[in-house]
């Protein structure tokens, strides 16, 4: 089922121009068609569920071919954030990106995704980066190169894996990686109160019946939380999850599950909070990447991908709604 037969040809070339702009190139050959790979890379909203380094993404502008977004990603063991502008060219199977504001020690960063169709079928994925370092410091340049050499092959492999799994099933990547959400209004509550309930996850063991233990650490200045949680499901089985969360006070908490359950290749989500005349309006959204190899093992011999989609929609949606219902009782 969607056997993975990617031929890895990852390599890096580091060169230097007189302006001290460095260039890297990472490549990978995939059996998936270029359009499937392009479509997956083109949808930034799905990145946190697809790419291990990506934590959260927020669109700022979306046009037919251009877009701006803020991305949070793990770089060198820290969560960094930056704003990027992209030009998408589906006909040419290329996506150009440039950071409008970079995170130190990166002074500037840009690059391109290129999806080259191969004569015998399949695609060569090329990921180019060009960057400058703050102060042009050699140690900083080495740090940035090391981060690109670590993250780029991981991103290429993740893109290829999902596109190949989908192709092997006669599906498209959107059948494996999809989003859904629920919106709940909490009468008599403010967005700030509802936000505080979700933000203070360290208090969940005394507030949420299915949560047994939470360990929470927070970098308040960066708005980044790291969280480990023990939960018990309706059938009595226990699960431990680890997540990183990005918090925008009173407005949004985006999260990424670092070690997803076997049925998932990736899971990210976000809580959105807004005030209305009827009370706090909270939207809980999930983006998941299904692991087709685990569907029958987890859901039974006759289970299909469609069954897995329904199951995830039901279970994750129910958990979020239960949390919000309790937030409505506890807030304030």
């Amino acid at each position: 089922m969607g056997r993975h037969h990617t031929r890895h040809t990852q390599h890096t070339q580091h060169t230097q121009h007189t302006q001290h702009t460095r260039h890297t190139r990472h490549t990978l050959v995939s059996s998936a068609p270029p359009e499937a790979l392009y479509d997956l890379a083109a949808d930034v909203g799905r990145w946190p569920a697809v790419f291990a380094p990506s934590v959260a993404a927020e669109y700022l502008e979306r046009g037919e071919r251009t877009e701006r977004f803020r991305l949070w990603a793990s770089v060198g063991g820290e969560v960094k954030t930056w704003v990027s502008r992209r030009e998408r060219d589906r006909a040419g199977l290329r996506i150009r990106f440039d950071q409008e504001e970079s995170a130190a020690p990166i002074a500037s960063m840009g690059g391109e995704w290129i999806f080259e169709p191969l004569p015998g079928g399949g695609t060569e994925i090329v990921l180019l980066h060009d960057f400058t370092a703050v102060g042009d410091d050699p140690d900083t340049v080495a740090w940035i190169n090391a981060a690109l050499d670590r993250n780029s092959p991981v991103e290429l492999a993740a893109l290829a894996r999902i596109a190949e799994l989908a192709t092997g099933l006669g599906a498209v990547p959107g059948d494996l990686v999809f989003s859904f959400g629920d919106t709940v209004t909490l009468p008599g509550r403010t967005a700030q109160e509802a936000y505080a309930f979700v933000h203070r996850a360290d208090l969940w063991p005394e507030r949420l019946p299915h949560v047994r233990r939470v360990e929470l650490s927070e970098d308040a200045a960066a708005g980044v939380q790291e969280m480990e949680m023990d939960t018990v499901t309706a059938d009595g089985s226990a699960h431990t999850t680890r997540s990183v969360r990005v918090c925008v006070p009173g407005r949004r908490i985006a999260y990424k599950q670092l070690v997803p359950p076997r049925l998932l290749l990736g899971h990210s989500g976000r809580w959105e909070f807004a005030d209305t005349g009827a009370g706090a309006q909270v939207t809980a959204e999930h983006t998941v990447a299904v692991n087709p190899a685990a569907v029958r093992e987890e859901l039974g011999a006759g289970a299909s991908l469609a069954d897995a989609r329904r199951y995830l929609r039901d279970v994750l949606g129910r958990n979020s709604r239960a949390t919000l219902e309790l937030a409505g009782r506890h807030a304030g």
Side-chain angles (χ1 to χ4, degrees):
M1 150 183 321
R3 286 172 60 84
H4 184 76
H5 48 276
T6 304
R7 188 168 76 254
H8 291 257
T9 60
Q10 297 152 356
H11 61 277
T12 313
Q13 299 166 355
H14 304 301
T15 59
Q16 183 176 340
H17 282 186
T18 52
Q19 298 90 354
H20 303 290
T21 298
R22 273 74 178 187
H23 300 267
T24 70
R25 172 188 175 95
H26 294 83
T27 70
L28 186 146
V29 172
S30 169
S31 61
E35 294 80 8
L37 291 156
Y38 173 94
D39 288 344
L40 205 48
D43 188 347
V44 173
R46 295 193 286 198
W47 280 18
V50 173
F51 296 138
S54 297
V55 173
E58 177 191 2
Y59 280 108
L60 305 174
E61 293 173 27
R62 294 183 80 176
E64 199 173 315
R65 290 185 55 154
T66 62
E67 64 195 11
R68 292 174 64 245
F69 58 88
R70 177 172 289 282
L71 190 70
W72 289 262
S74 179
V75 182
E78 291 177 68
V79 175
K80 301 276 191 181
T81 183
W82 58 87
V83 171
S84 288
R85 177 182 292 277
R86 298 204 308 175
E87 291 268 346
R88 302 184 312 276
D89 176 7
R90 196 175 192 278
L93 296 167
R94 305 169 83 95
I95 303 169
R96 171 72 204 180
F97 57 90
D98 290 282
Q99 293 182 3
E100 288 188 354
E101 54 177 69
S102 299
I106 296 168
S108 68
M109 175 79 75
E112 197 162 15
W113 291 90
I114 304 168
F115 303 91
E116 295 276 5
L118 296 174
T123 308
E124 181 180 33
I125 317 170
V126 180
L127 178 53
L128 305 175
H129 287 93
D130 49 78
F131 70 88
T132 58
V134 171
D136 210 35
D137 177 67
D139 289 343
T140 300
V141 171
W143 184 89
I144 298 169
N145 274 326
L148 290 171
D149 284 347
R150 189 166 47 246
N151 284 2
S152 298
V154 169
E155 293 181 348
L156 291 170
L159 207 62
R161 174 171 65 165
I162 288 175
E164 289 174 10
L165 285 169
T167 302
L169 292 168
V172 294
D175 294 329
L176 295 188
V177 188
F178 60 97
S179 302
F180 53 88
D182 295 290
T183 298
V184 173
T185 300
L186 307 177
R189 302 301 182 200
T190 66
Q192 183 58 51
E193 287 172 334
Y195 171 90
F197 183 91
V198 178
H199 179 257
R200 288 299 305 270
D202 55 316
L203 300 178
W204 283 4
E206 52 202 75
R207 293 175 164 181
L208 297 174
H210 68 286
V211 177
R212 293 287 166 88
R213 176 186 69 94
V214 171
E215 283 184 28
L216 190 72
S217 62
E218 180 168 20
D219 177 346
V224 174
Q225 294 179 330
E226 292 186 22
M227 181 168 129
E228 185 172 290
M229 177 169 66
D230 292 343
T231 58
V232 179
T233 55
D235 62 7
S237 54
H239 300 273
T240 299
T241 58
R242 286 177 53 238
S243 305
V244 58
R245 307 204 304 177
V246 174
C247 306
V248 181
R251 231 178 84 217
R252 177 188 303 109
I253 295 175
Y255 61 88
K256 180 195 180 85
Q257 205 169 337
L258 298 176
V259 185
R262 179 146 165 68
L263 188 56
L264 295 176
L265 297 171
H267 176 208
S268 66
R270 61 183 183 173
W271 305 86
E272 297 269 2
F273 307 88
D275 282 310
T276 72
Q281 181 177 283
V282 188
T283 298
E285 185 177 284
H286 298 267
T287 300
V288 296
V290 182
N291 177 10
V295 170
R296 291 177 181 173
E297 185 182 307
E298 296 291 313
L299 302 181
S304 66
L305 182 58
D307 293 326
R309 288 170 61 95
R310 277 191 295 272
Y311 171 82
L312 290 163
R313 174 71 183 89
D314 177 56
V315 168
L316 295 175
R318 192 167 58 234
N319 282 353
S320 297
R321 289 191 303 274
T323 299
L324 292 176
E325 185 186 322
L326 286 155
R329 291 189 217 154
H330 276 274

